[in-house]
Amino acid sequence: MITLFQITGSSSFAARAALECAGADYAVVDVHPRRRDEAAGFAAANPLLRVPTLRDGDVCLAETGAILLWLGDRFPDAGLAPPVGTPARADHYRWVTWCANTLHVGWWPVMGASHLTPDESAQESLRAGGREQMRRNGAHLEAWLADHMWLAGDQPGVADIYAYMLVGWQHYDDIRLGGPALASHYERVGALPGVARARELDDLDPRLIRIHPDMRGGRPLD
Ligand SMILES: N[C@@H](CCC(=O)N[C@@H](CS)C(=O)NCC(=O)O)C(=O)O
């Protein structure tokens, strides 16, 4: 049995989209953002209480990139991860890792500057520097996608899903990443039935903006 510990509209979206694209049978546990210790089994699965966390039988996994790599292999028939030992597989490792260690964390100074310092002018500097870095990240994706339909191999995979989520977060800020190639990749990935279904389940519009900002997991936040 697979269980995804999630908060709708958060980083867990990518894991849910991969599960949907894989046609997996899974359950979700909706974690309350401020009362994470109330979610049954969550602390045992991930003492850091961060989402996404995945429990798959005896296996507990945290970190979006690790979960996506796991799911790509767990559902080989879904074709979300290229075959081991191929050049496309190397691209798959490279892009999932880059999403995790560069693109994902690249948003923190932009969106979470106030968590990093109480000093408001320092927050502004952090945001400005973060936006500049994210523009460079967008250009990096744009350059690859100008020549490639997908990030790894000739079909959409977990790397595309991860990048899609992180690129979608630009709509929460006054920044545009990449150019026409990245924009059309965003449209292509967003049109995948599993991704569209995950958006619906997570109550997100096509920009990945929460349709009901005060709700998580279909319930009002209290
Ligand atoms: N490195 C983690 C980051 C996950 C993450 O930051 N999740 C947020 C929600 S978007 C969270 O649970 N934050 C709570 C915390 O950091 O305590 C990953 O890639 O999964």
Side-chain angles (χ1 to χ4, degrees), residues 7 9-12 33 36 42 48-53 62-67 100 104-105 108 162 169:
I7 298 172
S10 78
S11 300
S12 54
R36 293 167 185 244
F42 189 31
L48 292 175
L49 298 177
R50 292 181 116 185
V51 295
T53 293
E63 297 301 319
T64 309
I67 291 170
H104 202 157
V105 294
W108 300 155
Y162 200 177
W169 290 355

Side-chain angles (χ1 to χ4, degrees), residues 10-72:
S10 78
S11 300
S12 54
F13 172 81
R16 190 173 213 177
L19 286 161
E20 288 293 325
C21 287
D25 187 14
Y26 70 101
V28 295
V29 172
D30 287 301
V31 173
H32 192 292
R34 292 187 300 275
R35 299 198 303 273
R36 293 167 185 244
D37 46 345
E38 289 176 3
F42 189 31
N46 180 4
L48 292 175
L49 298 177
R50 292 181 116 185
V51 295
T53 293
L54 192 85
R55 194 173 57 212
D56 186 354
D58 292 337
V59 169
C60 290
L61 259 181
E63 297 301 319
T64 309
I67 291 170
L68 292 174
L69 291 170
W70 174 265
L71 292 175

Side-chain angles (χ1 to χ4, degrees), residues 91-111:
D91 291 331
H92 161 77
Y93 291 135
R94 170 234 187 140
W95 284 113
V96 171
T97 304
W98 183 80
C99 281
N101 70 17
T102 303
L103 198 58
H104 202 157
V105 294
W107 280 123
W108 300 155
V110 179
M111 295 183 181

Side-chain angles (χ1 to χ4, degrees), residues 30 71 81 130 150 186 189 220:
D30 287 301
L71 292 175
W150 307 108
Y186 186 78
V189 181

Side-chain angles (χ1 to χ4, degrees), residues 87-174:
R89 181 74 175 200
D91 291 331
H92 161 77
Y93 291 135
R94 170 234 187 140
W95 284 113
V96 171
T97 304
W98 183 80
C99 281
N101 70 17
T102 303
L103 198 58
H104 202 157
V105 294
W107 280 123
W108 300 155
V110 179
M111 295 183 181
S114 61
H115 298 292
L116 298 173
T117 171
D119 178 335
E120 288 185 9
S121 73
Q123 287 172 19
E124 235 359 274
S125 304
L126 277 171
R127 279 188 206 102
R131 286 192 183 104
E132 204 36 55
Q133 183 56 47
M134 287 306 283
R135 281 192 198 93
R136 284 195 287 274
N137 293 337
H140 183 52
L141 277 167
E142 177 73 17
W144 178 270
L145 290 167
D147 296 329
H148 301 84
M149 187 88 157
W150 307 108
L151 289 178
D154 56 7
Q155 61 186 82
V158 292
D160 298 286
I161 292 170
Y162 200 177
Y164 169 81
M165 176 181 78
L166 298 171
V167 169
W169 290 355
Q170 70 182 308
H171 301 114
Y172 278 94
D173 194 75
D174 185 20

Side-chain angles (χ1 to χ4, degrees), residues 190-210:
L192 298 171
V195 174
R197 171 91 182 124
R199 260 197 331 263
E200 197 182 310
L201 291 167
D202 264 25
D203 192 36
L204 301 175
D205 75 11
R207 298 164 303 154
L208 298 191
I209 303 274
R210 286 192 175 97

